[in-house]
């Protein structure tokens, strides 16, 4: 079946502009995660959604970052007033939720964000 | 705080040799430890994972060991091949079971023919 998809694949923006990144999870996956990966570095957890529970926003680096998810489908990550340090690849992952047991997270291809 | 340390940051081996990557984690409540492989410009792909109720898991040339007492786990790749060249990330689940993963910084493995 279809994997996790993200759009756009690349985004170049000017400092101070807002950007919106989109993630389409695997159908039936109730859990959705956003990560940030700076060049040559590991994955940094940003936010997590699971069903109708309140999202865990503990990884969001500042109040310029926000994310929404409609039901158990599409999620958007919004970065307001972008800064050069926001330049990174933003990865989305989704997983099944199996009654208290974590299941495999499947990653999308990422959106490469460049802030000039 | 939540932390996963990964070593080495780079690893170079000859084809056919073994490669070992080690990770330590800070949260003794962590119960799930996946390993991801990321090729240049591509998304991370799960290669193996282990849960805290076992000490070792194998899948062909790949094995993972877990020592919960010492809070460390390792990835072992035997009979390495050039196509094993990639960045490998370990991760540990934090915050009590909802799969919030904290990743190590990655190991760049180069397998030379």
């Amino acid at each position: 079946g279809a994997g996790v998809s993200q759009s756009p694949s690349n985004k170049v923006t000017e400092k101070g502009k807002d950007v919106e990144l989109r993630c389409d999870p695997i159908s039936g996956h109730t859990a959705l995660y956003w990560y940030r990966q700076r060049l040559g570095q590991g994955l940094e957890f940003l936010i997590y959604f699971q069903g109708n529970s309140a999202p865990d926003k503990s990884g969001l680096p500042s109040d310029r970052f926000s994310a929404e998810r409609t039901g158990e489908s599409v999620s958007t990550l919004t970065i307001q007033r972008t800064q050069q340090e926001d330049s990174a690849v933003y990865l989305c992952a989704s997983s099944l939720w199996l009654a208290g047991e974590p299941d495999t997270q499947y990653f999308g291809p990422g959106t490469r964000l460049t802030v000039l | 705080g939540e932390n996963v340390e990964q070593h080495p940051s780079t690893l170079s081996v000859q084809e056919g040799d073994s490669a070992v990557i080690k990770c330590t984690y800070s949260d003794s409540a962590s119960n799930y430890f996946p390993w991801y492989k990321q090729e240049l410009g591509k998304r991370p792909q799960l290669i193996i994972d282990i849960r805290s109720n076992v000490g070792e898991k194998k899948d062909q040339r790949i094995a993972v060991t877990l020592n919960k007492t010492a809070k460390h786990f390792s990835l072992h790749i035997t009979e390495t091949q050039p196509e094993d060249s990639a960045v490998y990330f370990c991760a540990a689940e934090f915050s009590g079971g909802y799969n919030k993963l904290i990743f190590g910084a990655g190991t760049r493995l180069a397998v030379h023919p």
Side-chain angles (χ1 to χ4, degrees), chain B residues 13-31:
Chain B
V13 300
Q14 290 296 125
E15 182 177 0
D17 288 349
S18 295
V20 180
I21 303 170
K22 299 181 179 181
C23 290
T24 59
Y25 59 97
S26 59
D27 185 356
S28 58
S30 296
N31 287 315

Side-chain angles (χ1 to χ4, degrees), chain A residues 7 36 95:
Chain A
S7 61
R36 178 170 69 180
S95 76

Side-chain angles (χ1 to χ4, degrees), chain A residues 37 56 58 102-103 105 107, chain B residues 36 38 43 51 98-99:
Chain A
Q37 187 175 30
D56 177 352
S58 62
D103 203 53
Q105 292 188 27
F107 282 86
Chain B
Y36 284 84
Q38 187 175 32
R43 72 190 77 187
R51 300 183 191 275
Y98 68 70
N99 209 8

Side-chain angles (χ1 to χ4, degrees), chain A residues 24-47:
Chain A
D24 285 85
I26 294 172
S27 178
H29 281 195
T30 59
L32 186 148
Y33 312 79
W34 283 98
Y35 295 89
R36 178 170 69 180
Q37 187 175 30
R38 291 198 166 108
L39 186 64
Q41 297 188 20
L43 284 75
E44 176 187 358
F45 169 82
L46 296 178
I47 189 169

Side-chain angles (χ1 to χ4, degrees), chain A residues 5-66:
Chain A
S5 61
Q6 293 185 244
S7 61
S9 55
N10 281 284
K11 176 71 177 179
V12 180
T13 190
E14 293 179 348
K15 178 181 173 181
K17 300 282 189 183
D18 297 352
V19 295
E20 191 172 277
L21 312 179
R22 176 187 169 111
C23 172
D24 285 85
I26 294 172
S27 178
H29 281 195
T30 59
L32 186 148
Y33 312 79
W34 283 98
Y35 295 89
R36 178 170 69 180
Q37 187 175 30
R38 291 198 166 108
L39 186 64
Q41 297 188 20
L43 284 75
E44 176 187 358
F45 169 82
L46 296 178
I47 189 169
Y48 156 87
F49 297 90
Q50 162 55 21
N52 295 320
S53 302
D56 177 352
K57 304 179 181 180
S58 62
L60 294 178
S62 78
D63 59 8
R64 297 186 296 103
F65 288 71
S66 63

